[in-house]
Amino acid sequence: MSSQASALVRYGQTVWRAVVSCTLGLGVTLKHLFSRPVTVEYPKALPDVPEGWRGWHAYETDRCTMCRLCEQVCPVQCIRLEVEGKGKERKLVRYEIHYGLCLFCNLCAEVCPTACLWMTADWDLACYRRADCTIRFHETNPDEQRKRLWPGMKDLPARAPKKPRETAPAEKAQNP
Amino acid sequence: MVQSLKTDEILVNMGPQHPSTHGVLRCLLKTDGEWVREVWPYIGYLHRCKEKIAEKVSYIQFMPYTDRLDYLASANNNLGWAMAVERLAAIEVPERAVWLRVLAAELNRIASHLLSYGTFGMEAGAFTPFFYGFRERETIVSIFDQLCGARLTYHYARIGGVMRDLSPETAKAIRRFLDEMDRRWVEYNTLLSDNEIFVRRTANVGIIPADLAIAYGLTGPVLRGSGVAHDIRKAVPYACYPKLDFQVCIGQGLKGTVGDSWDRYWVRMLEIRESVKICRQVLDGLPEGPYQTKVPRILKVPANEAYVRTEAPRGELGFYVISDGTDKPWRCRIRAPSFCNLSILNRIARNCLVADVIMILGSIDVVMGEVDR
Amino acid sequence: MPGTLTDIINFVIQTALALVGLDYARVPEMLRIGAAMLIACAAMLGYVAVVALFFGWAERRVAGRMQARQGPNIVGPFGLLQLIADAVKILVKEDIIPQTAHRFLFRLAPILVFMGAFAPFVVLPFSETLVVSNLSLGVYYALSFAALEVVGVIMAGWASNNKWSLYGGMRLAAQMMSYEIPMGLAVLTVAVLSGHLNLRTIVLDQQGHWIFSWNIFRGFPWAFLGMFAFYLAGLAGSKRTPFDLPEAESEIVAGYHTEYSGMRFVIFYLSEYATMYVVSALTAVLFLGGWHAPIPRVLAWGGEVHWEAGPVLSALIGMANMIGKSFFLMFVMLWFRWTYPRVRVDQIVYLCMKVLVPLGIICLIGASVWALVL
């Protein structure tokens, strides 16, 4: 008899616990119903991208010594570099990065001895065709190429080109 | 009449495209009505030859690939690989880098457990925890934004250090987040952990006794949920963990039996709190100094072998690396916690309901990127 | 006695016919009734569609805000036109019938489901006058038609020839079978208290002393507890979280409507909201005083002074009360959905058989005693 009574008490406790815990849960969602959403409404508002973001590369042809370190260190071989001539006559004819392969690992930027290649805070990388994934940095204006990929990009505020970081400790540290 | 009715067990494919198989796991269920008699997990849908790739790229180059093993815990994977290579090449890592790596790993552990909290709630049928979990995870991801410039594949640790120093603003952001997390943690429990419906769904479901857990080589929260206080951070201390004060959380069967789904879930929730504690200590005790040491660009590692165990959010992550004197590993074997943990599924998900299989799978918390590698 | 909705429609038809010079009395009776019914049905159908559209939006909006996000807010003011945009999208979708499905039953199922959800609207009183059909067995009618839905869902589950759909169908069968009982018991509590099965009379019975003459307080605590039993059972009947097992997306993909797309899916969607509305409105009618305002004497909103405000105004006020109460109860359903996890298939039967049925029986006995004593 007592076991039945205790079973009844347990049953009552369970029901009571269920009612209480479920009511408390309702309070949490109700509180959120009247608090501000945390969403960033993307096309209208742009996400806050910090400095040092690993997005599109920026590349300065003038400072490049064509040492091919970036090409060698890339784990996926997405950087293609072609050089013509010898000695002082060396001339860069091709510098391409295939963003369909790129891991955005920043190894290429860290290894660059003259810091002429770095990663910028540009983050909108979508494009429609696979061929568009390849950005030809040796051509006049790589930014124009990017804009061609996605017409919507024109509406976004223009981004000032980033200077290479003042302290490039990674590069220095890894250079023998 | 009833005798003449022909009943049969049917085989149902749960996955590879199913809302709650965490990516591309395929489970074959043998069901008798709603009762599941047996479950066979079929894996391999996300196989990307990670171990073979490791033999083809250099030690430095493999680091970004480790991001993509357990893609929810990149920083932990990086830590494991970096430690393995550093042990092989006998590289001394600056103290600050070690602490920063631990900071990243623990933040990542919080993020990973938050995601697990959200998806587990989702699998139980509650949508809202998922969004709350993601909201806080988003904050962590933004912190990683500042810390290393990426949101998912962090690639923060480098051989011989870390990629970037911790800026004071980021440190402040982390502290803000940790305070926020303390508040939210209570809210999470009100919403989900203590909810009687949720407790009824998870308590006494998929019980893994301690001896079975050990026999199957389970690690991480799945093992600790069974009441075994085994944490690599304590058992085989590495990095700066010996200097930090934290507890190993174990399942105690608060709502049901020790080792049930609720316990595994609760261990994750407790670990979030422990990780918050660790992060605070790391921020307080961060030593000054360089964050990177000089490592040759082409890192030639003497012929040797090393096995490094670290505690990833899902359990023991092991990198077994054999070097042959070149700049590439001769062989790399990755002991993925999810893979070992998944093996228990067939054993415990028997004679339960279809809904239980989902909860058991969710409580084991596998990441297919790591299972298939 | 003031007329019902049918009478009002008749009056409108009469006036319209008189305008074009026809004598209403010469129209055959069958035609008159038929026309009135058709118009009433069309009005109700429109109302269901509007409710479903509004709550389709509200569901997403409320869900969004509860989950710390925005919800639909682009199309129209506050995203109010989102559902219209979605409706257009979904209507132009390809209508897919799986090759191995039973084509006839696959097509029939959504119709049956919608019928079950829509039929109870006929007896729902919106105000003293606005009721399509003032059936003397209104509650009985509503409950029995709500049970029709299960046939459609099992049909959909079986005809899809998909294992997950079949699970969904069978789950709903178990669920509906169990929840008819506590629902019936809770209704009986009210029936005992008021002595009627006619929904209009039940509401008329509840007029008087503010909210204290409503059934939930009049039969305190029995009808109060009975309301919870009824509402929970109704939640299960309308397949809402925490009882959304037949369409549990994390377990059985989408349950019985896994294979449905386009228009046929919309019909399922519509009937879900229609059922939700029916349950909410029935709860409001049975327990929360129907069209009676919570504060009767203020501005003569009360039932007994309805006609002082003029027939049209009082009908409108009653309708506003009724819709307000139903919408609030529907909002609670949304609130539940975005807070709770889902129960398991055995627990849903446990909850019904071991919690709600005893509760219903206690309520019924208690109410009977009260009816005898008081």
Side-chain angles (χ1 to χ4, degrees):
Chain A
M1 191 59 209
S2 68
S3 75
Q4 279 176 3
S6 69
L8 200 65
V9 168
R10 263 206 313 282
Y11 168 82
Q13 281 170 344
T14 311
V15 172
W16 178 245
R17 238 189 358 254
V19 171
V20 169
S21 66
C22 289
T23 317
L24 288 176
L26 285 177
V28 175
T29 37
L30 191 69
K31 203 177 84 197
H32 279 86
L33 183 64
F34 297 109
S35 53
R36 286 175 64 80
V38 294
T39 329
V40 176
E41 287 184 75
Y42 163 55
K44 283 192 225 156
L46 294 177
D48 190 20
V49 177
E51 297 278 305
W53 167 265
R54 308 202 312 245
W56 292 105
H57 291 86
Y59 173 66
E60 275 180 32
T61 325
D62 304 340
R63 285 202 304 194
C64 182
T65 56
M66 292 158 270
C67 64
R68 288 180 182 270
L69 279 180
C70 49
E71 195 186 21
Q72 284 159 15
V73 81
C74 181
V76 287
Q77 288 94 45
C78 72
I79 302 178
R80 237 177 103 195
L81 210 124
E82 274 176 29
V83 181
E84 269 178 8
K86 281 246 160 87
K88 291 249 172 188
E89 304 291 304
R90 264 156 63 99
K91 204 167 129 266
L92 189 83
V93 291
R94 182 182 288 273
Y95 194 95
E96 285 179 359
I97 296 182
H98 192 306
Y99 283 97
L101 297 175
C102 183
L103 293 175
F104 299 95
C105 64
N106 205 31
L107 284 177
C108 49
E110 282 168 25
V111 86
C112 185
T114 56
C116 71
L117 183 72
W118 71 100
M119 296 186 102
T120 65
D122 275 353
W123 42 266
D124 34 15
L125 309 162
C127 62
Y128 286 108
R129 292 180 304 147
R130 182 168 289 202
D132 291 341
C133 293
T134 311
I135 298 292
R136 294 170 294 279
F137 284 95
H138 57 277
E139 281 183 6
T140 44
N141 194 349
D143 277 340
E144 275 307 306
Q145 289 176 40
R146 289 178 199 162
K147 275 185 186 152
R148 230 181 299 137
L149 307 185
W150 188 39
M153 195 170 158
K154 281 172 195 144
D155 303 328
L156 299 172
R159 287 177 203 78
K162 285 245 163 57
K163 284 273 160 270
R165 275 172 285 116
E166 295 292 315
T167 51
E171 292 89 320
K172 280 170 201 139
Q174 291 213 343
N175 267 336
Chain B
M1 179 61 203
V2 177
Q3 294 297 314
S4 67
L5 276 174
K6 188 172 165 288
T7 64
D8 207 353
E9 287 167 335
I10 56 172
L11 290 172
V12 193
N13 270 310
M14 195 173 81
Q17 283 151 348
H18 184 276
S20 49
T21 50
H22 289 250
V24 283
L25 172 65
R26 173 177 152 227
C27 292
L28 189 59
L29 315 182
K30 186 159 85 178
T31 57
D32 178 7
E34 277 270 341
W35 286 98
V36 174
R37 296 296 173 214
E38 201 159 359
V39 180
W40 297 277
Y42 286 85
I43 60 169
Y45 289 87
L46 204 59
H47 182 56
R48 294 151 302 165
C49 317
K50 280 278 178 277
E51 292 176 6
K52 192 70 191 166
I53 287 173
E55 298 169 19
K56 296 290 163 195
V57 297
S58 74
Y59 291 99
I60 295 168
Q61 285 176 332
F62 189 63
M63 185 72 85
Y65 282 104
T66 59
D67 285 340
R68 287 142 177 94
L69 287 171
D70 177 355
Y71 38 75
L72 301 176
S74 305
N76 298 73
N77 301 344
N78 291 344
L79 175 64
W81 176 252
M83 276 170 54
V85 177
E86 282 152 10
R87 187 175 298 174
L88 275 178
I91 296 170
E92 195 65 35
V93 187
E95 192 66 359
R96 188 175 174 84
V98 171
W99 285 66
L100 282 176
R101 280 177 188 180
V102 167
L103 178 69
E106 291 305 320
L107 277 176
N108 208 165
R109 189 187 310 277
I110 300 175
S112 170
H113 284 344
L114 279 176
L115 196 128
S116 161
Y117 161 81
T119 51
F120 198 44
M122 190 92 140
E123 274 146 23
F127 280 84
T128 310
F130 182 76
F131 287 93
Y132 291 175
F134 258 73
R135 179 186 53 195
E136 266 67 73
R137 182 174 176 271
E138 188 65 24
T139 323
I140 300 180
V141 161
S142 304
I143 287 168
F144 271 111
D145 256 13
Q146 301 172 21
L147 197 62
C148 59
R151 297 176 71 81
L152 188 71
T153 49
Y154 304 130
H155 191 208
Y156 182 55
R158 295 286 193 273
I159 313 290
V162 291
M163 171 197 179
R164 220 177 263 167
D165 203 358
L166 177 76
S167 71
E169 298 89 65
T170 314
K172 219 177 282 167
I174 295 173
R175 277 189 200 279
R176 243 197 332 271
F177 163 75
L178 295 176
D179 294 342
E180 168 94 2
M181 196 61 229
D182 278 343
R183 269 203 311 283
R184 296 294 186 194
W185 194 79
V186 180
E187 207 171 63
Y188 289 168
N189 292 342
T190 318
L191 187 64
L192 195 65
S193 316
D194 295 336
N195 188 301
E196 191 65 17
I197 301 174
F198 178 74
V199 169
R200 291 268 145 174
R201 281 295 304 279
T202 50
N204 295 323
V205 168
I207 301 162
I208 308 178
D211 53 343
L212 193 69
I214 294 168
Y216 269 79
L218 307 184
T219 46
V222 184
L223 176 67
R224 292 193 282 278
S226 301
V228 184
H230 176 77
D231 189 321
I232 309 286
R233 291 175 293 178
K234 287 272 188 203
V236 193
Y238 59 94
C240 66
Y241 283 112
K243 293 170 199 155
L244 300 171
D245 167 44
F246 64 99
Q247 271 153 22
V248 178
C249 315
I250 55 166
Q252 293 164 321
L254 286 179
K255 304 280 178 183
T257 323
V258 177
D260 57 10
S261 300
W262 194 86
D263 270 356
R264 291 193 281 280
Y265 161 83
W266 186 240
V267 164
R268 288 196 186 93
M269 293 307 283
L270 291 176
E271 279 186 11
I272 291 180
R273 227 172 43 175
E274 290 302 316
S275 291
V276 167
K277 231 164 79 185
I278 295 176
C279 286
R280 281 218 180 89
Q281 291 172 43
V282 170
L283 285 177
D284 291 337
L286 198 61
E288 293 299 322
Y291 62 91
Q292 217 173 32
T293 181
K294 236 179 206 176
V295 172
R297 202 174 52 245
I298 294 168
L299 180 68
K300 291 235 163 88
V301 173
N304 202 345
E305 59 179 59
Y307 180 69
V308 167
R309 321 158 71 181
T310 54
E311 183 74 23
R314 278 161 193 81
E316 176 185 333
L317 176 72
F319 282 100
Y320 179 50
V321 192
I322 304 177
S323 57
D324 57 355
T326 62
D327 66 333
K328 295 184 174 101
W330 183 78
R331 173 79 171 94
C332 169
R333 153 81 192 158
I334 302 159
R335 189 238 185 244
S338 293
F339 176 75
C340 300
N341 292 351
L342 186 61
S343 65
I344 194 90
L345 182 66
N346 177 270
R347 180 66 185 266
I348 54 171
R350 275 183 196 175
N351 296 326
C352 57
L353 294 162
V354 174
D356 290 340
V357 174
I358 306 288
M359 295 319 283
I360 292 169
L361 191 59
S363 72
I364 293 174
D365 187 30
V366 291
V367 165
M368 292 318 286
E370 194 180 43
V371 173
D372 295 337
R373 299 193 288 287
Chain C
M1 187 186 97
T4 57
L5 186 62
T6 324
D7 297 320
I8 296 173
I9 291 167
N10 266 329
F11 176 75
V12 173
I13 296 175
Q14 198 173 352
T15 324
L17 286 180
L19 281 177
V20 295
L22 279 172
D23 188 3
Y24 187 55
R26 276 169 50 205
V27 179
E29 170 121 31
M30 285 301 283
L31 210 61
R32 266 191 272 168
I33 296 173
M37 276 168 66
L38 265 183
I39 293 175
C41 275
M44 278 294 133
L45 202 60
Y47 182 67
V48 173
V50 169
V51 167
L53 274 180
F54 177 73
F55 268 89
W57 168 82
E59 170 112 61
R60 292 160 64 174
R61 189 85 180 154
V62 166
R65 297 308 295 265
M66 280 182 176
Q67 295 166 350
R69 38 187 194 95
Q70 293 277 4
N73 64 345
I74 304 289
V75 192
F78 305 108
L80 266 168
L81 303 178
Q82 180 67 44
L83 255 282
I84 295 175
D86 283 355
V88 170
K89 184 203 83 176
I90 220 160
L91 288 183
V92 297
K93 262 186 159 180
E94 188 188 354
D95 176 36
I96 300 166
I97 300 180
Q99 209 161 29
T100 49
H102 191 296
R103 296 180 77 84
F104 175 68
L105 292 184
F106 189 83
R107 285 187 176 137
L108 183 64
I111 301 170
L112 270 185
V113 170
F114 186 68
M115 231 169 86
F118 180 59
F121 273 82
V122 171
V123 289
L124 287 183
F126 284 87
S127 79
E128 200 172 341
T129 49
L130 290 175
V131 50
V132 177
S133 178
N134 190 17
L135 285 182
S136 55
L137 286 174
V139 188
Y140 189 68
Y141 168 89
L143 288 188
S144 43
F145 259 98
L148 185 67
E149 212 180 325
V150 68
V151 181
V153 170
I154 295 178
M155 201 179 272
W158 186 81
S160 299
N161 199 5
N162 177 322
K163 286 162 185 169
W164 299 121
S165 301
L166 190 61
Y167 280 137
M170 298 322 287
R171 280 180 172 194
L172 185 74
Q175 189 171 323
M176 290 292 259
M177 295 301 157
S178 6
Y179 277 88
E180 298 283 295
I181 304 164
M183 213 167 178
L185 286 171
V187 167
L188 276 182
T189 313
V190 173
V192 166
L193 279 175
S194 68
H196 300 285
L197 286 174
N198 179 333
L199 288 170
R200 189 167 160 273
T201 328
I202 288 175
V203 181
L204 282 175
D205 240 31
Q206 300 180 49
Q207 73 183 27
H209 314 286
W210 301 19
I211 55 171
F212 299 109
S213 59
W214 293 0
N215 273 340
I216 71 164
F217 291 113
R218 202 170 59 155
F220 198 82
W222 311 118
F224 189 79
L225 293 173
M227 187 181 85
F228 285 103
F230 183 84
Y231 192 67
L232 279 181
L235 262 181
S238 50
K239 309 183 282 294
R240 295 289 297 185
T241 312
F243 309 110
D244 61 342
L245 297 118
E247 45 197 82
E249 72 296 309
S250 63
E251 291 157 26
I252 50 171
V253 190
Y256 60 92
H257 54 60
T258 306
E259 298 288 356
Y260 282 88
S261 67
M263 190 60 205
R264 278 174 234 281
F265 174 76
V266 173
I267 295 174
F268 280 122
Y269 188 79
L270 207 63
S271 21
E272 181 177 333
Y273 284 100
T275 320
M276 277 167 71
Y277 185 84
V278 168
V279 169
S280 305
L282 275 179
T283 315
V285 164
L286 293 175
F287 300 95
L288 298 176
W291 59 77
H292 297 301
I295 316 156
R297 307 259 168 207
V298 180
L299 295 175
W301 282 4
E304 68 264 40
V305 278
H306 254 171
W307 289 98
E308 290 165 19
V312 178
L313 189 62
S314 75
L316 284 180
I317 290 171
M319 207 163 98
N321 275 326
M322 183 64 200
I323 291 177
K325 285 172 193 175
S326 316
F327 275 21
F328 173 74
L329 289 170
M330 273 180 90
F331 164 75
V332 175
M333 285 187 180
L334 306 189
W335 192 7
F336 280 7
R337 172 160 184 197
W338 302 112
T339 308
Y340 295 146
R342 184 183 304 117
V343 300
R344 206 168 50 201
V345 71
D346 59 328
Q347 287 160 357
I348 199 168
V349 181
Y350 174 96
L351 179 63
C352 161
M353 290 298 177
K354 289 195 171 171
V355 181
L356 293 186
V357 167
L359 184 68
I361 290 174
I362 291 170
C363 289
L364 181 56
I365 294 173
S368 310
V369 172
W370 278 60
L372 283 176
V373 175
L374 300 177

